[in-house]
PDB file of all heavy atoms in Angstrom:
ATOM      1  N   ARG A  27     -13.307 -10.328   6.138  1.00 96.00           N
ATOM      2  CA  ARG A  27     -14.618 -10.559   5.526  1.00 96.00           C
ATOM      3  C   ARG A  27     -14.872 -12.033   5.230  1.00 96.00           C
ATOM      4  O   ARG A  27     -16.015 -12.500   5.287  1.00 96.00           O
ATOM      5  CB  ARG A  27     -14.698  -9.753   4.182  1.00 96.00           C
ATOM      6  CG  ARG A  27     -15.380  -8.470   4.360  1.00 96.00           C
ATOM      7  CD  ARG A  27     -15.822  -7.745   3.113  1.00 96.00           C
ATOM      8  NE  ARG A  27     -15.553  -8.303   1.839  1.00 96.00           N
ATOM      9  CZ  ARG A  27     -14.748  -7.797   0.883  1.00 96.00           C
ATOM     10  NH1 ARG A  27     -14.124  -6.655   1.124  1.00 96.00           N
ATOM     11  NH2 ARG A  27     -14.629  -8.372  -0.265  1.00 96.00           N
ATOM     12  N   SER A  28     -13.801 -12.781   4.957  1.00 95.00           N
ATOM     13  CA  SER A  28     -14.001 -14.204   4.629  1.00 95.00           C
ATOM     14  C   SER A  28     -14.567 -14.952   5.905  1.00 95.00           C
ATOM     15  O   SER A  28     -15.209 -15.978   5.787  1.00 95.00           O
ATOM     16  CB  SER A  28     -12.720 -14.829   4.199  1.00 95.00           C
ATOM     17  OG  SER A  28     -11.805 -14.998   5.300  1.00 95.00           O
ATOM     18  N   ARG A  29     -14.289 -14.413   7.090  1.00 91.00           N
ATOM     19  CA  ARG A  29     -14.775 -15.017   8.323  1.00 91.00           C
ATOM     20  C   ARG A  29     -16.232 -14.719   8.572  1.00 91.00           C
ATOM     21  O   ARG A  29     -16.923 -15.430   9.316  1.00 91.00           O
ATOM     22  CB  ARG A  29     -13.938 -14.559   9.490  1.00 91.00           C
ATOM     23  CG  ARG A  29     -12.519 -14.981   9.427  1.00 91.00           C
ATOM     24  CD  ARG A  29     -11.697 -14.320  10.562  1.00 91.00           C
ATOM     25  NE  ARG A  29     -10.586 -15.166  10.828  1.00 91.00           N
ATOM     26  CZ  ARG A  29     -10.524 -16.075  11.808  1.00 91.00           C
ATOM     27  NH1 ARG A  29     -11.520 -16.205  12.624  1.00 91.00           N
ATOM     28  NH2 ARG A  29      -9.448 -16.831  11.981  1.00 91.00           N
ATOM     29  N   THR A  30     -16.756 -13.601   8.004  1.00 93.00           N
ATOM     30  CA  THR A  30     -18.132 -13.183   8.312  1.00 93.00           C
ATOM     31  C   THR A  30     -19.048 -13.312   7.096  1.00 93.00           C
ATOM     32  O   THR A  30     -20.234 -13.011   7.240  1.00 93.00           O
ATOM     33  CB  THR A  30     -18.113 -11.725   8.778  1.00 93.00           C
ATOM     34  OG1 THR A  30     -17.560 -10.906   7.760  1.00 93.00           O
ATOM     35  CG2 THR A  30     -17.273 -11.561  10.042  1.00 93.00           C
ATOM     36  N   ASP A  31     -18.555 -13.740   5.976  1.00 95.00           N
ATOM     37  CA  ASP A  31     -19.364 -13.848   4.781  1.00 95.00           C
ATOM     38  C   ASP A  31     -19.270 -15.290   4.212  1.00 95.00           C
ATOM     39  O   ASP A  31     -18.506 -15.537   3.266  1.00 95.00           O
ATOM     40  CB  ASP A  31     -18.941 -12.846   3.721  1.00 95.00           C
ATOM     41  CG  ASP A  31     -19.830 -12.760   2.498  1.00 95.00           C
ATOM     42  OD1 ASP A  31     -20.785 -13.590   2.402  1.00 95.00           O
ATOM     43  OD2 ASP A  31     -19.545 -11.919   1.602  1.00 95.00           O
ATOM     44  N   PRO A  32     -20.034 -16.226   4.807  1.00 94.00           N
ATOM     45  CA  PRO A  32     -19.898 -17.607   4.368  1.00 94.00           C
ATOM     46  C   PRO A  32     -20.220 -17.835   2.900  1.00 94.00           C
ATOM     47  O   PRO A  32     -19.652 -18.710   2.259  1.00 94.00           O
ATOM     48  CB  PRO A  32     -20.903 -18.374   5.241  1.00 94.00           C
ATOM     49  CG  PRO A  32     -21.620 -17.389   6.065  1.00 94.00           C
ATOM     50  CD  PRO A  32     -21.010 -16.045   5.826  1.00 94.00           C
ATOM     51  N   ARG A  33     -21.082 -17.010   2.368  1.00 96.00           N
ATOM     52  CA  ARG A  33     -21.473 -17.147   0.922  1.00 96.00           C
ATOM     53  C   ARG A  33     -20.300 -16.930  -0.043  1.00 96.00           C
ATOM     54  O   ARG A  33     -20.175 -17.622  -1.048  1.00 96.00           O
ATOM     55  CB  ARG A  33     -22.585 -16.158   0.598  1.00 96.00           C
ATOM     56  CG  ARG A  33     -23.780 -16.853   0.078  1.00 96.00           C
ATOM     57  CD  ARG A  33     -24.882 -15.793  -0.154  1.00 96.00           C
ATOM     58  NE  ARG A  33     -24.903 -15.492  -1.534  1.00 96.00           N
ATOM     59  CZ  ARG A  33     -25.648 -14.567  -2.088  1.00 96.00           C
ATOM     60  NH1 ARG A  33     -26.411 -13.841  -1.295  1.00 96.00           N
ATOM     61  NH2 ARG A  33     -25.644 -14.389  -3.362  1.00 96.00           N
ATOM     62  N   HIS A  34     -19.440 -16.003   0.319  1.00 97.00           N
ATOM     63  CA  HIS A  34     -18.306 -15.663  -0.577  1.00 97.00           C
ATOM     64  C   HIS A  34     -16.968 -16.057  -0.005  1.00 97.00           C
ATOM     65  O   HIS A  34     -15.925 -15.644  -0.497  1.00 97.00           O
ATOM     66  CB  HIS A  34     -18.332 -14.141  -0.809  1.00 97.00           C
ATOM     67  CG  HIS A  34     -19.582 -13.656  -1.502  1.00 97.00           C
ATOM     68  ND1 HIS A  34     -20.548 -12.987  -0.793  1.00 97.00           N
ATOM     69  CD2 HIS A  34     -20.013 -13.788  -2.759  1.00 97.00           C
ATOM     70  CE1 HIS A  34     -21.550 -12.702  -1.610  1.00 97.00           C
ATOM     71  NE2 HIS A  34     -21.227 -13.186  -2.833  1.00 97.00           N
ATOM     72  N   ARG A  35     -16.983 -16.844   1.046  1.00 96.00           N
ATOM     73  CA  ARG A  35     -15.747 -17.230   1.752  1.00 96.00           C
ATOM     74  C   ARG A  35     -14.684 -17.809   0.790  1.00 96.00           C
ATOM     75  O   ARG A  35     -13.523 -17.367   0.852  1.00 96.00           O
ATOM     76  CB  ARG A  35     -16.078 -18.231   2.842  1.00 96.00           C
ATOM     77  CG  ARG A  35     -14.822 -18.696   3.585  1.00 96.00           C
ATOM     78  CD  ARG A  35     -15.135 -19.525   4.831  1.00 96.00           C
ATOM     79  NE  ARG A  35     -15.749 -18.608   5.791  1.00 96.00           N
ATOM     80  CZ  ARG A  35     -16.776 -18.914   6.561  1.00 96.00           C
ATOM     81  NH1 ARG A  35     -17.390 -20.049   6.411  1.00 96.00           N
ATOM     82  NH2 ARG A  35     -17.194 -18.066   7.458  1.00 96.00           N
ATOM     83  N   ARG A  36     -15.042 -18.710  -0.022  1.00 96.00           N
ATOM     84  CA  ARG A  36     -14.056 -19.358  -0.889  1.00 96.00           C
ATOM     85  C   ARG A  36     -13.360 -18.361  -1.803  1.00 96.00           C
ATOM     86  O   ARG A  36     -12.150 -18.371  -1.951  1.00 96.00           O
ATOM     87  CB  ARG A  36     -14.718 -20.483  -1.734  1.00 96.00           C
ATOM     88  CG  ARG A  36     -13.755 -21.286  -2.547  1.00 96.00           C
ATOM     89  CD  ARG A  36     -14.400 -22.463  -3.188  1.00 96.00           C
ATOM     90  NE  ARG A  36     -14.737 -23.327  -2.047  1.00 96.00           N
ATOM     91  CZ  ARG A  36     -14.636 -24.613  -2.103  1.00 96.00           C
ATOM     92  NH1 ARG A  36     -14.253 -25.227  -3.188  1.00 96.00           N
ATOM     93  NH2 ARG A  36     -14.878 -25.361  -1.080  1.00 96.00           N
ATOM     94  N   ALA A  37     -14.131 -17.508  -2.464  1.00 97.00           N
ATOM     95  CA  ALA A  37     -13.550 -16.496  -3.341  1.00 97.00           C
ATOM     96  C   ALA A  37     -12.699 -15.495  -2.570  1.00 97.00           C
ATOM     97  O   ALA A  37     -11.632 -15.124  -3.085  1.00 97.00           O
ATOM     98  CB  ALA A  37     -14.677 -15.797  -4.118  1.00 97.00           C
ATOM     99  N   LEU A  38     -13.190 -15.084  -1.417  1.00 97.00           N
ATOM    100  CA  LEU A  38     -12.443 -14.106  -0.621  1.00 97.00           C
ATOM    101  C   LEU A  38     -11.106 -14.712  -0.161  1.00 97.00           C
ATOM    102  O   LEU A  38     -10.093 -14.069  -0.207  1.00 97.00           O
ATOM    103  CB  LEU A  38     -13.240 -13.679   0.561  1.00 97.00           C
ATOM    104  CG  LEU A  38     -14.456 -12.765   0.257  1.00 97.00           C
ATOM    105  CD1 LEU A  38     -15.376 -12.641   1.453  1.00 97.00           C
ATOM    106  CD2 LEU A  38     -13.987 -11.419  -0.252  1.00 97.00           C
ATOM    107  N   LEU A  39     -11.116 -15.950   0.293  1.00 96.00           N
ATOM    108  CA  LEU A  39      -9.893 -16.588   0.756  1.00 96.00           C
ATOM    109  C   LEU A  39      -8.938 -16.816  -0.411  1.00 96.00           C
ATOM    110  O   LEU A  39      -7.703 -16.683  -0.187  1.00 96.00           O
ATOM    111  CB  LEU A  39     -10.222 -17.942   1.449  1.00 96.00           C
ATOM    112  CG  LEU A  39     -10.800 -17.824   2.818  1.00 96.00           C
ATOM    113  CD1 LEU A  39     -11.213 -19.190   3.373  1.00 96.00           C
ATOM    114  CD2 LEU A  39      -9.867 -17.134   3.791  1.00 96.00           C
ATOM    115  N   ALA A  40      -9.449 -17.115  -1.576  1.00 97.00           N
ATOM    116  CA  ALA A  40      -8.560 -17.292  -2.745  1.00 97.00           C
ATOM    117  C   ALA A  40      -7.878 -15.947  -3.086  1.00 97.00           C
ATOM    118  O   ALA A  40      -6.655 -15.921  -3.350  1.00 97.00           O
ATOM    119  CB  ALA A  40      -9.384 -17.783  -3.955  1.00 97.00           C
ATOM    120  N   ARG A  41      -8.641 -14.840  -3.020  1.00 97.00           N
ATOM    121  CA  ARG A  41      -8.048 -13.524  -3.291  1.00 97.00           C
ATOM    122  C   ARG A  41      -7.027 -13.173  -2.217  1.00 97.00           C
ATOM    123  O   ARG A  41      -5.947 -12.668  -2.472  1.00 97.00           O
ATOM    124  CB  ARG A  41      -9.115 -12.448  -3.367  1.00 97.00           C
ATOM    125  CG  ARG A  41      -8.533 -11.124  -3.859  1.00 97.00           C
ATOM    126  CD  ARG A  41      -9.565 -10.037  -3.990  1.00 97.00           C
ATOM    127  NE  ARG A  41     -10.829 -10.496  -4.550  1.00 97.00           N
ATOM    128  CZ  ARG A  41     -12.017  -9.950  -4.255  1.00 97.00           C
ATOM    129  NH1 ARG A  41     -12.051  -8.902  -3.440  1.00 97.00           N
ATOM    130  NH2 ARG A  41     -13.130 -10.355  -4.807  1.00 97.00           N
ATOM    131  N   HIS A  42      -7.381 -13.422  -0.973  1.00 97.00           N
ATOM    132  CA  HIS A  42      -6.498 -13.150   0.160  1.00 97.00           C
ATOM    133  C   HIS A  42      -5.213 -13.974   0.027  1.00 97.00           C
ATOM    134  O   HIS A  42      -4.109 -13.418   0.200  1.00 97.00           O
ATOM    135  CB  HIS A  42      -7.222 -13.551   1.471  1.00 97.00           C
ATOM    136  CG  HIS A  42      -6.431 -13.323   2.701  1.00 97.00           C
ATOM    137  ND1 HIS A  42      -6.271 -12.071   3.238  1.00 97.00           N
ATOM    138  CD2 HIS A  42      -5.807 -14.199   3.537  1.00 97.00           C
ATOM    139  CE1 HIS A  42      -5.543 -12.162   4.374  1.00 97.00           C
ATOM    140  NE2 HIS A  42      -5.245 -13.452   4.578  1.00 97.00           N
ATOM    141  N   ALA A  43      -5.327 -15.239  -0.366  1.00 96.00           N
ATOM    142  CA  ALA A  43      -4.143 -16.079  -0.597  1.00 96.00           C
ATOM    143  C   ALA A  43      -3.279 -15.611  -1.742  1.00 96.00           C
ATOM    144  O   ALA A  43      -2.054 -15.750  -1.710  1.00 96.00           O
ATOM    145  CB  ALA A  43      -4.573 -17.513  -0.780  1.00 96.00           C
ATOM    146  N   ARG A  44      -3.893 -15.034  -2.788  1.00 97.00           N
ATOM    147  CA  ARG A  44      -3.092 -14.545  -3.909  1.00 97.00           C
ATOM    148  C   ARG A  44      -2.357 -13.254  -3.538  1.00 97.00           C
ATOM    149  O   ARG A  44      -1.203 -13.041  -3.969  1.00 97.00           O
ATOM    150  CB  ARG A  44      -4.018 -14.278  -5.152  1.00 97.00           C
ATOM    151  CG  ARG A  44      -4.321 -15.445  -5.957  1.00 97.00           C
ATOM    152  CD  ARG A  44      -4.982 -15.047  -7.307  1.00 97.00           C
ATOM    153  NE  ARG A  44      -6.084 -14.087  -7.181  1.00 97.00           N
ATOM    154  CZ  ARG A  44      -7.355 -14.408  -6.971  1.00 97.00           C
ATOM    155  NH1 ARG A  44      -7.716 -15.669  -6.806  1.00 97.00           N
ATOM    156  NH2 ARG A  44      -8.276 -13.463  -6.884  1.00 97.00           N
TER     157      ARG A  44
END
Side-chain angles (χ1 to χ4, degrees):
R27 264 193 0 243
S28 73
R29 295 172 155 264
T30 59
D31 187 356
R33 237 176 101 185
H34 299 105
R35 179 173 288 138
R36 184 172 292 219
L38 290 168
L39 286 175
R41 187 178 321 149
H42 181 75
R44 278 193 311 273

